Amino acid sequence: METVVWVMMIVVCFNYLLKQTWRRPFWVALSAIVCALFVGLAWPWAIEQSKNRIAGWLADSALMLDLAVVLTLEVALQITFCVVAAHIHTSGRIKPSVIWFYRLLRWFPGLLVFPVLFSLLVAVIFALPGVSFPLVAWSLAAVVAMVIPLGRWALKYLLPEKDIRLEVLFLANALIAILGIIATVNGRTAVAGSSEVAWTALVGVLAFVALGLACGIAAYRLKLQRIYKKQK
């Protein structure tokens, strides 16, 4: 379980840095300052934590379900940004509302990075016993303030094409969603397994899928006919 959480934290940090490649240097610097201030000012709450308390949080199913809701919302927003950006890059005429929606999503860097930074601060304080807590916190804050712009520059240098960065961001968020499901379930199942097949339910699902497929094909053909008439 702890391994899954650590992998998720690493991917969250990667997503945050990758999202910064769509922002201007001034706003990246401002974002780095905000994260650094959060780390530097959070040490009074970080020293109150303990390994047993963190382990209890990870074992608390209700807390993990609440965290899964936040994680799902953030992943949905990031994936929506990828879809809207791809639509803008591939379409000819774009509605102003779509452009404003794209700009709004581009401004959203992600909120999961803050609990990740807090967890990192707690881990560093545990790893450096006997050292002044404010010194540890502000030293880590200085590192964070340097890593964010440097990481953004490194990712933009390694992945200069926006299309590739967009695909990587989409896949990374999909990975976070999968890891979030694993961390939330944590060995629990909602219902007991059954070896019997509910044929009525199976036929109903297949009929629903066939109906949706037929409606999709009909809508696609109508759209093609309208395009053909406009071209005439």
Side-chain angles (χ1 to χ4, degrees):
M1 180 62 183
E2 293 183 0
T3 304
V4 174
V5 173
W6 277 106
V7 173
M8 190 186 307
M9 291 167 61
I10 293 173
V11 181
V12 167
C13 293
F14 175 78
N15 272 351
Y16 182 80
L17 293 177
L18 187 60
K19 188 67 177 293
Q20 299 302 316
T21 59
W22 277 273
R23 308 180 73 183
R24 296 182 179 179
F26 172 78
W27 300 111
V28 175
L30 182 62
S31 178
I33 292 174
V34 171
C35 292
L37 289 176
F38 173 80
V39 173
L41 297 174
W43 69 266
W45 296 275
I47 61 177
E48 297 177 357
Q49 311 307 319
S50 64
K51 293 183 178 179
N52 293 331
R53 179 178 292 184
I54 295 175
W57 288 348
L58 296 178
D60 189 354
S61 59
L63 180 61
M64 295 305 294
L65 289 174
D66 294 337
L67 181 61
V69 174
V70 179
L71 182 109
T72 302
L73 291 176
E74 177 158 337
V75 169
L77 289 175
Q78 300 291 6
I79 290 180
T80 303
F81 167 78
C82 296
V83 174
V84 174
H87 174 68
I88 291 176
H89 293 163
T90 56
S91 299
R93 295 181 179 178
I94 306 297
K95 297 180 179 179
S97 58
V98 176
I99 296 177
W100 281 106
F101 188 54
Y102 166 77
R103 292 176 178 175
L104 181 64
L105 292 175
R106 187 181 62 184
W107 273 93
F108 179 73
L111 299 178
L112 291 177
V113 69
F114 292 104
V116 170
L117 291 175
F118 184 79
S119 302
L120 180 62
L121 177 60
V122 173
V124 173
I125 289 176
F126 284 153
L128 299 173
V131 184
S132 174
F133 298 137
L135 178 61
V136 173
W138 287 108
S139 299
L140 181 60
V143 173
V144 169
M146 291 186 296
V147 167
I148 290 177
L150 290 177
R152 180 252 188 190
W153 175 84
L155 288 174
K156 201 167 184 179
Y157 177 78
L158 295 174
L159 302 172
E161 297 85 0
K162 287 186 178 181
D163 295 339
I164 296 180
R165 294 203 305 268
L166 201 63
E167 292 178 5
V168 174
L169 183 63
F170 180 87
L171 293 175
N173 279 282
L175 178 60
I176 290 178
I178 295 173
L179 293 176
I181 294 173
I182 296 174
T184 304
V185 174
N186 194 17
R188 297 178 291 107
T189 55
V191 295
S194 177
S195 59
E196 298 181 358
V197 179
W199 293 104
T200 304
L202 179 61
V203 172
V205 171
L206 293 177
F208 183 76
V209 172
L211 179 62
L213 181 62
C215 293
I217 294 174
Y220 179 72
R221 289 183 176 178
L222 289 175
K223 185 177 180 180
L224 289 179
Q225 290 179 0
R226 290 177 182 176
I227 295 173
Y228 181 73
K229 290 180 180 179
K230 288 182 179 180
Q231 290 179 352
K232 284 186 173 181

